[in-house]
Amino acid sequence: MNRAEFHVADSCIGCGKCVLVCPGGVLSLGEDHKPRIKDFSEFGWIGHGCWRCEHCLAVCPQGAIRILGHKPEDSLPPVSPDSAAPFMDALIAVRHSHRRYLDRNVEKDIIDDMVARLGNAPNGSNKQQVEFTLIDDKEQMKIFRSTAYNRMTELAEQGVYPEGFEGIYYEDMKNWEKTVRPDMLLCGVPHALIPHAPIGSGEYRADVLVAGTYFELLCASRGLGSVMLTFPLNALKQMPEIKSMLGIPEDHYIGMIIGFGYPEIEYARGTQRQIPPERVHRLTFK
C-alpha cells in the first residue's frame, strides 16, 4: 500500500540521491535503478515508515518524484548563497523585540501564510507534532488581555505574584508601563501565537522553541514586530481559570507566547551585537 503517494516519473535517471537522503530508510533502488518505497503501517520513526520530510522530492535533480500529493514544480527553488547570506545577515540584525504596537489587525491572509510556512521548521524526527494556538483578531486579544491583567492585579494585591517576580520585581515590571510597554503583561500586542506540543513525545521542548524562532523571523521579513513573552506564562500559572481560556491541553508544553503586529515604533537600523571570542569554545582532539 503506497501510503505516502510516492510516484516516480520516467524522467528519473536512477542517481539514487533520494535513497541516500531518506531518513526513514523506506526507499531503495530496484533492478531498473528506479526508487521504490517499502510498505509501512504508519508514518514516522515508531512505524518504521515515511517521515513525511519530502527530502526525496527536494533532492531529485530531474524533478521526477511526487509524494504526499505534492509536485516538484510547486516547490520553491534554492536561493543562491550570494544573495541569501547578506539578506539573512540583515534580517537577523534588524529583528528587534517590539513592545509597542499599533491598534491594527494584521491581514488574515498574511497571518495564515506565515503559520502555514512553519511546516518547514525543523523538528525532531519530523514528527510535526507542534500545534499553534492563535489569537488573530485584536478585539479578541483585548478581551483576553483585560481578563488576564485584571486577575493578575487582583492576585498581586493579595500578595500572590507570578513566579520569579515577587514584590519589588513585580513593581519594576509595573513601572515599565510608563515608558517601554503599555501593559506589563502582554505589551499591548494585537495578536498572539502560542506553539505547544505534547509533553514526553519526541523533542517537544526544542520543537516548540524552534517553531517560535522561525515565526519571529517570518514576522521580521514581512515588516511586522514581534516579541517572545515568558512573563505571561508565569502569571498564567497563578490563574488556571484564565489559562483555560486558551484551550491548550494540560499535557502540552508551552515555551513562550509570541506577540506580534504592526509596530508603533520603527527601528532605523540593525544592532551590532556579536559573540565575543571568549564565548566560543573551539574543540580539538588528538
Side-chain angles (χ1 to χ4, degrees), residues 144 148-149 151-153 155 160-165 170 173 184-186 230-243 257:
F144 178 74
Y149 190 98
R151 180 57 178 156
M152 178 187 67
T153 301
L155 290 173
V160 179
Y161 298 100
E163 181 180 348
F165 294 89
Y170 180 89
M173 293 282 287
M184 62 186 287
L185 183 63
L186 288 162
T230 54
F231 174 71
L233 298 182
N234 293 320
L236 289 171
K237 288 179 182 178
Q238 308 291 345
M239 37 187 174
E241 73 284 3
I242 308 299
K243 183 180 177 182
I257 296 174

Side-chain angles (χ1 to χ4, degrees), residues 199-273:
I199 295 173
S201 177
E203 303 297 331
Y204 62 94
R205 291 188 182 91
D207 292 350
V208 165
L209 297 177
V210 168
T213 302
Y214 268 56
F215 188 74
E216 271 218 322
L217 288 174
L218 285 168
C219 286
S221 69
R222 286 152 174 79
L224 300 175
S226 63
V227 58
M228 283 188 174
L229 300 165
T230 54
F231 174 71
L233 298 182
N234 293 320
L236 289 171
K237 288 179 182 178
Q238 308 291 345
M239 37 187 174
E241 73 284 3
I242 308 299
K243 183 180 177 182
S244 68
M245 292 173 62
L246 297 172
I248 298 174
E250 285 296 319
D251 64 345
H252 276 213
Y253 172 76
I254 307 171
M256 85 290 281
I257 296 174
I258 306 171
F260 68 101
Y262 287 106
E264 176 185 311
I265 299 173
E266 296 283 354
Y267 284 83
R269 60 194 58 83
T271 60
Q272 299 177 37
R273 299 192 302 269

